[in-house]
Amino acid sequence: MSGSVMMDANDAIYGGLAECYITINGRRCNFMSMTKFESKWEVNITDVPILGRVGMGHKAAGGKGTWSGTAHYNQSQFRKMADEYQKTGSMPYFEIQVSNEDPTSKAGRQTIILRGCLYDSFILAKFEAGEEIMDEELSGTFESWDMPETFQELDGFLTN
């Protein structure tokens, strides 16, 4: 399309430069063993019947936060949480903070802090003969989030 503004390839964010921290019981840890992470907020959409209309209306009515990721199998922090839970019945909530910033991108930095996180499944022990590097899948829920830093709008994003 002639004359249209296009994104500069350098403005794509390189994911390997992300930072990930978890805070459990006031103790902040650099969760550098994470190799993959995603969190999302799923909105519950409710059907709304409307008199005089053939089609349904829709309304946002709550939501649910989930997170998942992959980490190298080299830390025991979540297994300690599982141990505490099975011995006391108390599951500690924690926070996850993820920041993305690529110095080659004009987008800048974005930080998301997930609050009220719970872990939903615990790998207690594992091995695989011949496996060079062991990983583990992690997942759970969160109750809310904050976004103290947001990406900058790139040149050409606004059209009017």
Side-chain angles (χ1 to χ4, degrees):
M1 188 177 222
S2 178
S4 66
V5 178
M6 293 182 206
M7 186 184 91
D8 185 334
N10 273 335
D11 290 332
I13 303 296
Y14 177 64
L17 298 176
E19 299 173 331
C20 183
Y21 294 91
I22 58 173
T23 303
I24 303 170
N25 296 325
R27 186 170 174 236
R28 188 169 194 246
C29 306
N30 182 356
F31 207 31
M32 59 193 169
S33 60
M34 290 291 280
T35 60
K36 184 177 179 181
F37 182 84
E38 181 177 90
S39 63
K40 61 184 174 180
W41 183 257
E42 183 178 328
V43 177
N44 296 330
I45 303 294
T46 301
D47 290 342
V48 180
I50 300 172
L51 188 63
R53 285 180 56 186
V54 175
M56 285 282 179
H58 303 92
K59 181 175 177 122
K64 177 182 179 181
T66 58
W67 62 270
S68 62
T70 304
H72 294 298
Y73 181 73
N74 64 0
Q75 57 79 32
S76 295
Q77 190 61 49
F78 288 124
R79 280 170 278 288
K80 289 178 184 177
M81 290 172 57
D83 189 48
E84 179 181 340
Y85 179 61
Q86 65 109 11
K87 289 179 178 171
T88 68
S90 176
M91 173 81 76
Y93 286 92
F94 59 96
E95 294 180 354
I96 301 173
Q97 176 183 318
V98 175
S99 296
N100 295 99
E101 183 176 27
D102 180 341
T104 65
S105 173
K106 291 185 289 286
R109 180 178 174 96
Q110 175 178 276
T111 298
I112 302 289
I113 303 171
L114 307 179
R115 305 209 187 270
C117 296
L118 288 175
Y119 194 72
D120 63 14
S121 177
F122 298 93
I123 294 175
L124 299 178
K126 69 181 283 182
F127 72 84
E128 184 175 338
E131 183 76 12
E132 292 183 28
I133 297 175
M134 291 199 307
D135 290 334
E136 62 182 314
E137 298 301 316
L138 311 171
S139 62
T141 61
F142 64 92
E143 295 183 4
S144 65
W145 77 93
D146 290 313
M147 191 168 44
E149 296 176 297
T150 61
F151 289 130
Q152 301 296 313
E153 290 180 358
L154 298 174
D155 292 338
F157 179 73
L158 291 177
T159 59
N160 57 13

